[in-house]
mmCIF file of all heavy atoms in Angstrom:
data_model
loop_
_atom_site.group_PDB
_atom_site.id
_atom_site.type_symbol
_atom_site.label_atom_id
_atom_site.label_comp_id
_atom_site.label_asym_id
_atom_site.label_seq_id
_atom_site.Cartn_x
_atom_site.Cartn_y
_atom_site.Cartn_z
ATOM 1 N N GLY A 1407 103.196 94.873 93.538
ATOM 2 C CA GLY A 1407 104.502 95.117 94.256
ATOM 3 C C GLY A 1407 104.667 96.532 94.530
ATOM 4 O O GLY A 1407 105.037 96.816 95.675
ATOM 5 N N LYS A 1408 104.404 97.409 93.567
ATOM 6 C CA LYS A 1408 104.513 98.815 93.871
ATOM 7 C C LYS A 1408 103.546 99.298 94.883
ATOM 8 O O LYS A 1408 103.845 100.151 95.823
ATOM 9 C CB LYS A 1408 104.506 99.655 92.647
ATOM 10 C CG LYS A 1408 104.824 101.049 92.795
ATOM 11 C CD LYS A 1408 105.238 101.831 91.547
ATOM 12 C CE LYS A 1408 105.658 103.270 91.995
ATOM 13 N NZ LYS A 1408 105.943 104.142 90.923
ATOM 14 N N THR A 1409 102.279 98.914 94.807
ATOM 15 C CA THR A 1409 101.250 99.325 95.736
ATOM 16 C C THR A 1409 101.485 98.961 97.079
ATOM 17 O O THR A 1409 101.355 99.602 98.081
ATOM 18 C CB THR A 1409 99.828 98.844 95.282
ATOM 19 O OG1 THR A 1409 99.837 97.422 95.104
ATOM 20 C CG2 THR A 1409 99.327 99.503 94.077
ATOM 21 N N ILE A 1410 102.054 97.648 97.314
ATOM 22 C CA ILE A 1410 102.464 97.172 98.655
ATOM 23 C C ILE A 1410 103.545 98.029 99.202
ATOM 24 O O ILE A 1410 103.462 98.372 100.396
ATOM 25 C CB ILE A 1410 102.884 95.657 98.565
ATOM 26 C CG1 ILE A 1410 101.609 94.745 98.272
ATOM 27 C CG2 ILE A 1410 103.570 95.179 99.783
ATOM 28 C CD1 ILE A 1410 101.939 93.304 97.811
ATOM 29 N N SER A 1411 104.536 98.360 98.372
ATOM 30 C CA SER A 1411 105.726 99.150 98.929
ATOM 31 C C SER A 1411 105.235 100.585 99.262
ATOM 32 O O SER A 1411 105.719 101.201 100.171
ATOM 33 C CB SER A 1411 106.829 99.234 97.826
ATOM 34 O OG SER A 1411 106.356 100.038 96.788
ATOM 35 N N LEU A 1412 104.109 101.045 98.577
ATOM 36 C CA LEU A 1412 103.631 102.463 98.963
ATOM 37 C C LEU A 1412 102.732 102.458 100.182
ATOM 38 O O LEU A 1412 102.902 103.330 101.097
ATOM 39 C CB LEU A 1412 102.770 102.910 97.761
ATOM 40 C CG LEU A 1412 103.487 103.418 96.528
ATOM 41 C CD1 LEU A 1412 102.552 103.646 95.389
ATOM 42 C CD2 LEU A 1412 104.329 104.641 96.763
ATOM 43 N N ALA A 1413 101.865 101.373 100.345
ATOM 44 C CA ALA A 1413 100.858 101.477 101.349
ATOM 45 C C ALA A 1413 101.101 100.387 102.439
ATOM 46 O O ALA A 1413 100.396 100.443 103.581
ATOM 47 C CB ALA A 1413 99.492 101.235 100.744
ATOM 48 N N GLY A 1414 101.942 99.357 102.261
ATOM 49 C CA GLY A 1414 102.067 98.317 103.191
ATOM 50 C C GLY A 1414 100.751 97.529 103.261
ATOM 51 O O GLY A 1414 99.981 97.478 102.305
ATOM 52 N N PRO A 1415 100.497 96.793 104.434
ATOM 53 C CA PRO A 1415 99.264 95.926 104.400
ATOM 54 C C PRO A 1415 98.006 96.608 104.209
ATOM 55 O O PRO A 1415 96.944 96.066 103.896
ATOM 56 C CB PRO A 1415 99.428 95.357 105.767
ATOM 57 C CG PRO A 1415 100.857 95.456 106.093
ATOM 58 C CD PRO A 1415 101.341 96.628 105.544
ATOM 59 N N SER A 1416 97.962 98.002 104.398
ATOM 60 C CA SER A 1416 96.729 98.678 104.294
ATOM 61 C C SER A 1416 96.218 98.689 102.829
ATOM 62 O O SER A 1416 95.048 99.054 102.541
ATOM 63 C CB SER A 1416 96.908 100.109 104.692
ATOM 64 O OG SER A 1416 97.803 100.912 103.825
ATOM 65 N N ILE A 1417 97.058 98.178 101.901
ATOM 66 C CA ILE A 1417 96.681 98.060 100.540
ATOM 67 C C ILE A 1417 95.394 97.211 100.381
ATOM 68 O O ILE A 1417 94.630 97.281 99.478
ATOM 69 C CB ILE A 1417 97.810 97.526 99.636
ATOM 70 C CG1 ILE A 1417 97.498 97.804 98.195
ATOM 71 C CG2 ILE A 1417 98.134 96.117 99.827
ATOM 72 C CD1 ILE A 1417 97.519 99.226 97.849
ATOM 73 N N ILE A 1418 95.209 96.313 101.277
ATOM 74 C CA ILE A 1418 94.086 95.383 101.329
ATOM 75 C C ILE A 1418 92.876 96.165 101.361
ATOM 76 O O ILE A 1418 91.869 95.876 100.674
ATOM 77 C CB ILE A 1418 94.172 94.347 102.553
ATOM 78 C CG1 ILE A 1418 95.365 93.477 102.414
ATOM 79 C CG2 ILE A 1418 92.894 93.599 102.712
ATOM 80 C CD1 ILE A 1418 95.784 92.774 103.726
ATOM 81 N N PHE A 1419 92.786 97.142 102.296
ATOM 82 C CA PHE A 1419 91.567 98.026 102.386
ATOM 83 C C PHE A 1419 91.396 98.881 101.186
ATOM 84 O O PHE A 1419 90.304 99.215 100.837
ATOM 85 C CB PHE A 1419 91.739 98.946 103.548
ATOM 86 C CG PHE A 1419 91.919 98.235 104.879
ATOM 87 C CD1 PHE A 1419 93.115 98.363 105.613
ATOM 88 C CD2 PHE A 1419 91.034 97.237 105.315
ATOM 89 C CE1 PHE A 1419 93.278 97.594 106.767
ATOM 90 C CE2 PHE A 1419 91.217 96.444 106.502
ATOM 91 C CZ PHE A 1419 92.381 96.636 107.229
ATOM 92 N N VAL A 1420 92.517 99.352 100.573
ATOM 93 C CA VAL A 1420 92.348 100.116 99.271
ATOM 94 C C VAL A 1420 91.671 99.269 98.166
ATOM 95 O O VAL A 1420 90.688 99.825 97.559
ATOM 96 C CB VAL A 1420 93.869 100.510 98.747
ATOM 97 C CG1 VAL A 1420 93.784 101.064 97.337
ATOM 98 C CG2 VAL A 1420 94.521 101.397 99.761
ATOM 99 N N TYR A 1421 92.015 98.007 97.946
ATOM 100 C CA TYR A 1421 91.303 97.265 97.042
ATOM 101 C C TYR A 1421 89.978 96.950 97.316
ATOM 102 O O TYR A 1421 89.015 96.934 96.466
ATOM 103 C CB TYR A 1421 92.098 95.844 96.838
ATOM 104 C CG TYR A 1421 93.284 95.908 96.003
ATOM 105 C CD1 TYR A 1421 94.637 96.026 96.552
ATOM 106 C CD2 TYR A 1421 93.188 96.023 94.626
ATOM 107 C CE1 TYR A 1421 95.710 96.157 95.667
ATOM 108 C CE2 TYR A 1421 94.332 95.955 93.809
ATOM 109 C CZ TYR A 1421 95.558 96.088 94.334
ATOM 110 O OH TYR A 1421 96.803 96.218 93.596
ATOM 111 N N MET A 1422 89.585 96.881 98.657
ATOM 112 C CA MET A 1422 88.265 96.597 99.107
ATOM 113 C C MET A 1422 87.323 97.855 98.791
ATOM 114 O O MET A 1422 86.221 97.657 98.258
ATOM 115 C CB MET A 1422 88.176 96.212 100.472
ATOM 116 C CG MET A 1422 88.641 94.782 100.829
ATOM 117 S SD MET A 1422 88.804 94.361 102.487
ATOM 118 C CE MET A 1422 87.236 93.950 102.964
ATOM 119 N N ILE A 1423 87.881 99.046 99.112
ATOM 120 C CA ILE A 1423 87.154 100.223 98.830
ATOM 121 C C ILE A 1423 86.871 100.508 97.389
ATOM 122 O O ILE A 1423 85.756 100.784 96.904
ATOM 123 C CB ILE A 1423 87.871 101.553 99.452
ATOM 124 C CG1 ILE A 1423 87.894 101.433 101.027
ATOM 125 C CG2 ILE A 1423 87.287 102.848 98.968
ATOM 126 C CD1 ILE A 1423 88.981 102.289 101.680
ATOM 127 N N ILE A 1424 87.962 100.274 96.546
ATOM 128 C CA ILE A 1424 87.695 100.534 95.144
ATOM 129 C C ILE A 1424 86.707 99.535 94.482
ATOM 130 O O ILE A 1424 85.892 99.811 93.752
ATOM 131 C CB ILE A 1424 89.082 100.414 94.278
ATOM 132 C CG1 ILE A 1424 90.006 101.468 94.858
ATOM 133 C CG2 ILE A 1424 88.875 100.525 92.852
ATOM 134 C CD1 ILE A 1424 91.401 101.329 94.282
ATOM 135 N N GLY A 1425 86.852 98.241 94.937
ATOM 136 C CA GLY A 1425 85.927 97.127 94.502
ATOM 137 C C GLY A 1425 84.531 97.586 94.937
ATOM 138 O O GLY A 1425 83.542 97.387 94.081
ATOM 139 N N PHE A 1426 84.280 98.041 96.184
ATOM 140 C CA PHE A 1426 82.906 98.516 96.636
ATOM 141 C C PHE A 1426 82.335 99.496 95.759
ATOM 142 O O PHE A 1426 81.263 99.455 95.286
ATOM 143 C CB PHE A 1426 83.026 98.901 98.099
ATOM 144 C CG PHE A 1426 81.743 99.437 98.601
ATOM 145 C CD1 PHE A 1426 80.795 98.600 99.091
ATOM 146 C CD2 PHE A 1426 81.575 100.775 98.802
ATOM 147 C CE1 PHE A 1426 79.605 99.094 99.592
ATOM 148 C CE2 PHE A 1426 80.496 101.317 99.351
ATOM 149 C CZ PHE A 1426 79.394 100.433 99.718
ATOM 150 N N ILE A 1427 83.193 100.543 95.468
ATOM 151 C CA ILE A 1427 82.638 101.687 94.536
ATOM 152 C C ILE A 1427 82.283 101.142 93.178
ATOM 153 O O ILE A 1427 81.272 101.526 92.664
ATOM 154 C CB ILE A 1427 83.774 102.824 94.521
ATOM 155 C CG1 ILE A 1427 83.925 103.514 95.908
ATOM 156 C CG2 ILE A 1427 83.413 103.838 93.527
ATOM 157 C CD1 ILE A 1427 82.691 104.342 96.390
ATOM 158 N N LEU A 1428 83.242 100.374 92.594
ATOM 159 C CA LEU A 1428 83.029 99.971 91.213
ATOM 160 C C LEU A 1428 81.869 99.041 91.037
ATOM 161 O O LEU A 1428 81.293 98.915 89.973
ATOM 162 C CB LEU A 1428 84.304 99.430 90.635
ATOM 163 C CG LEU A 1428 85.358 100.421 90.353
ATOM 164 C CD1 LEU A 1428 86.574 99.818 89.758
ATOM 165 C CD2 LEU A 1428 84.923 101.548 89.386
ATOM 166 N N PHE A 1429 81.537 98.291 92.068
ATOM 167 C CA PHE A 1429 80.329 97.462 91.972
ATOM 168 C C PHE A 1429 79.052 98.289 91.689
ATOM 169 O O PHE A 1429 78.253 97.961 90.798
ATOM 170 C CB PHE A 1429 80.048 96.709 93.279
ATOM 171 C CG PHE A 1429 78.727 95.927 93.451
ATOM 172 C CD1 PHE A 1429 78.464 94.921 92.630
ATOM 173 C CD2 PHE A 1429 77.751 96.397 94.269
ATOM 174 C CE1 PHE A 1429 77.291 94.174 92.612
ATOM 175 C CE2 PHE A 1429 76.559 95.783 94.325
ATOM 176 C CZ PHE A 1429 76.265 94.691 93.547
ATOM 177 N N PHE A 1430 78.887 99.500 92.262
ATOM 178 C CA PHE A 1430 77.803 100.376 91.964
ATOM 179 C C PHE A 1430 77.896 100.998 90.569
ATOM 180 O O PHE A 1430 76.822 101.047 89.947
ATOM 181 C CB PHE A 1430 77.725 101.420 93.044
ATOM 182 C CG PHE A 1430 77.380 100.988 94.353
ATOM 183 C CD1 PHE A 1430 78.359 100.713 95.367
ATOM 184 C CD2 PHE A 1430 76.009 100.659 94.677
ATOM 185 C CE1 PHE A 1430 78.066 100.198 96.661
ATOM 186 C CE2 PHE A 1430 75.766 100.127 95.996
ATOM 187 C CZ PHE A 1430 76.673 99.882 96.901
ATOM 188 N N VAL A 1431 79.087 101.221 90.011
ATOM 189 C CA VAL A 1431 79.283 101.676 88.615
ATOM 190 C C VAL A 1431 78.679 100.597 87.711
ATOM 191 O O VAL A 1431 77.938 100.870 86.734
ATOM 192 C CB VAL A 1431 80.672 102.041 88.370
ATOM 193 C CG1 VAL A 1431 80.826 102.483 86.906
ATOM 194 C CG2 VAL A 1431 81.238 103.138 89.270
ATOM 195 N N MET A 1432 79.099 99.312 88.002
ATOM 196 C CA MET A 1432 78.621 98.160 87.271
ATOM 197 C C MET A 1432 77.148 97.905 87.304
ATOM 198 O O MET A 1432 76.494 97.792 86.231
ATOM 199 C CB MET A 1432 79.288 96.909 87.771
ATOM 200 C CG MET A 1432 80.811 96.904 87.637
ATOM 201 S SD MET A 1432 81.298 96.457 85.949
ATOM 202 C CE MET A 1432 80.872 94.776 85.799
ATOM 203 N N ARG A 1433 76.536 98.231 88.428
ATOM 204 C CA ARG A 1433 75.099 98.050 88.604
ATOM 205 C C ARG A 1433 74.375 99.099 87.806
ATOM 206 O O ARG A 1433 73.327 98.787 87.256
ATOM 207 C CB ARG A 1433 74.686 98.038 90.055
ATOM 208 C CG ARG A 1433 75.005 96.746 90.787
ATOM 209 C CD ARG A 1433 74.197 95.538 90.246
ATOM 210 N NE ARG A 1433 72.807 95.633 90.381
ATOM 211 C CZ ARG A 1433 72.036 95.079 91.192
ATOM 212 N NH1 ARG A 1433 72.606 94.285 92.138
ATOM 213 N NH2 ARG A 1433 70.725 95.250 91.269
ATOM 214 N N ALA A 1434 74.938 100.389 87.848
ATOM 215 C CA ALA A 1434 74.292 101.466 87.094
ATOM 216 C C ALA A 1434 74.280 101.083 85.522
ATOM 217 O O ALA A 1434 73.343 101.266 84.934
ATOM 218 C CB ALA A 1434 75.027 102.810 87.402
ATOM 219 N N MET A 1435 75.485 100.688 85.142
ATOM 220 C CA MET A 1435 75.637 100.288 83.691
ATOM 221 C C MET A 1435 74.612 99.163 83.320
ATOM 222 O O MET A 1435 74.015 99.246 82.381
ATOM 223 C CB MET A 1435 77.079 99.883 83.482
ATOM 224 C CG MET A 1435 77.282 99.448 82.018
ATOM 225 S SD MET A 1435 79.068 98.880 81.860
ATOM 226 C CE MET A 1435 78.950 97.229 82.576
ATOM 227 N N GLY A 1436 74.574 98.226 84.268
ATOM 228 C CA GLY A 1436 73.694 97.038 83.930
ATOM 229 C C GLY A 1436 72.210 97.488 83.822
ATOM 230 O O GLY A 1436 71.536 97.041 82.904
ATOM 231 N N GLU A 1437 71.770 98.306 84.737
ATOM 232 C CA GLU A 1437 70.386 98.744 84.670
ATOM 233 C C GLU A 1437 70.057 99.567 83.420
ATOM 234 O O GLU A 1437 69.049 99.216 82.717
ATOM 235 C CB GLU A 1437 69.985 99.653 85.864
ATOM 236 C CG GLU A 1437 68.493 100.015 85.867
ATOM 237 C CD GLU A 1437 68.068 100.917 87.096
ATOM 238 O OE1 GLU A 1437 68.723 100.852 88.125
ATOM 239 O OE2 GLU A 1437 66.976 101.479 86.873
ATOM 240 N N ILE A 1438 71.026 100.412 82.971
ATOM 241 C CA ILE A 1438 70.718 101.185 81.766
ATOM 242 C C ILE A 1438 70.796 100.307 80.504
ATOM 243 O O ILE A 1438 69.899 100.309 79.612
ATOM 244 C CB ILE A 1438 71.704 102.322 81.564
ATOM 245 C CG1 ILE A 1438 71.719 103.325 82.790
ATOM 246 C CG2 ILE A 1438 71.417 103.135 80.306
ATOM 247 C CD1 ILE A 1438 72.791 104.327 82.729
ATOM 248 N N LEU A 1439 71.658 99.363 80.491
ATOM 249 C CA LEU A 1439 71.888 98.516 79.223
ATOM 250 C C LEU A 1439 70.648 97.573 79.120
ATOM 251 O O LEU A 1439 70.162 97.368 78.034
ATOM 252 C CB LEU A 1439 73.155 97.617 79.353
ATOM 253 C CG LEU A 1439 74.504 98.197 79.034
ATOM 254 C CD1 LEU A 1439 75.613 97.396 79.411
ATOM 255 C CD2 LEU A 1439 74.521 98.560 77.585
ATOM 256 N N LEU A 1440 70.067 97.115 80.181
ATOM 257 C CA LEU A 1440 68.985 96.228 80.142
ATOM 258 C C LEU A 1440 67.629 96.916 79.987
ATOM 259 O O LEU A 1440 66.615 96.330 79.719
ATOM 260 C CB LEU A 1440 68.843 95.320 81.421
ATOM 261 C CG LEU A 1440 70.116 94.326 81.563
ATOM 262 C CD1 LEU A 1440 70.059 93.591 82.866
ATOM 263 C CD2 LEU A 1440 70.113 93.364 80.382
ATOM 264 N N SER A 1441 67.701 98.295 80.157
ATOM 265 C CA SER A 1441 66.430 99.002 80.056
ATOM 266 C C SER A 1441 66.089 99.241 78.536
ATOM 267 O O SER A 1441 65.032 99.510 78.094
ATOM 268 C CB SER A 1441 66.503 100.484 80.606
ATOM 269 O OG SER A 1441 67.471 101.257 79.844
ATOM 270 N N ASN A 1442 67.133 99.069 77.639
ATOM 271 C CA ASN A 1442 66.928 99.149 76.142
ATOM 272 C C ASN A 1442 68.028 98.333 75.482
ATOM 273 O O ASN A 1442 69.161 98.696 75.363
ATOM 274 C CB ASN A 1442 67.117 100.736 75.731
ATOM 275 C CG ASN A 1442 66.948 100.892 74.298
ATOM 276 O OD1 ASN A 1442 66.951 100.049 73.493
ATOM 277 N ND2 ASN A 1442 66.829 102.224 73.944
ATOM 278 N N LEU A 1443 67.537 97.162 74.978
ATOM 279 C CA LEU A 1443 68.566 96.210 74.406
ATOM 280 C C LEU A 1443 69.072 96.659 73.028
ATOM 281 O O LEU A 1443 69.940 95.995 72.538
ATOM 282 C CB LEU A 1443 67.908 94.816 74.358
ATOM 283 C CG LEU A 1443 67.587 94.096 75.662
ATOM 284 C CD1 LEU A 1443 67.036 92.758 75.406
ATOM 285 C CD2 LEU A 1443 68.841 93.967 76.457
ATOM 286 N N SER A 1444 68.666 97.859 72.582
ATOM 287 C CA SER A 1444 69.378 98.341 71.388
ATOM 288 C C SER A 1444 70.584 99.079 71.743
ATOM 289 O O SER A 1444 71.303 99.436 70.746
ATOM 290 C CB SER A 1444 68.278 99.197 70.500
ATOM 291 O OG SER A 1444 68.005 100.390 71.308
ATOM 292 N N TYR A 1445 70.816 99.314 72.949
ATOM 293 C CA TYR A 1445 72.091 99.924 73.354
ATOM 294 C C TYR A 1445 73.165 98.852 73.161
ATOM 295 O O TYR A 1445 73.113 97.841 73.694
ATOM 296 C CB TYR A 1445 72.179 100.342 74.804
ATOM 297 C CG TYR A 1445 71.323 101.504 75.194
ATOM 298 C CD1 TYR A 1445 70.617 101.530 76.381
ATOM 299 C CD2 TYR A 1445 71.172 102.748 74.318
ATOM 300 C CE1 TYR A 1445 69.808 102.612 76.869
ATOM 301 C CE2 TYR A 1445 70.358 103.703 74.769
ATOM 302 C CZ TYR A 1445 69.708 103.790 75.945
ATOM 303 O OH TYR A 1445 68.955 104.868 76.362
#
């Protein structure tokens, strides 16, 4: 509710950009975790 009041409909793009960036963070984490299962 607060993000919509700040950005209006452009908030849709905000969520898409953050989601895009965090996908790569997740992939980086996944590659390292699976490189050594004792982590």
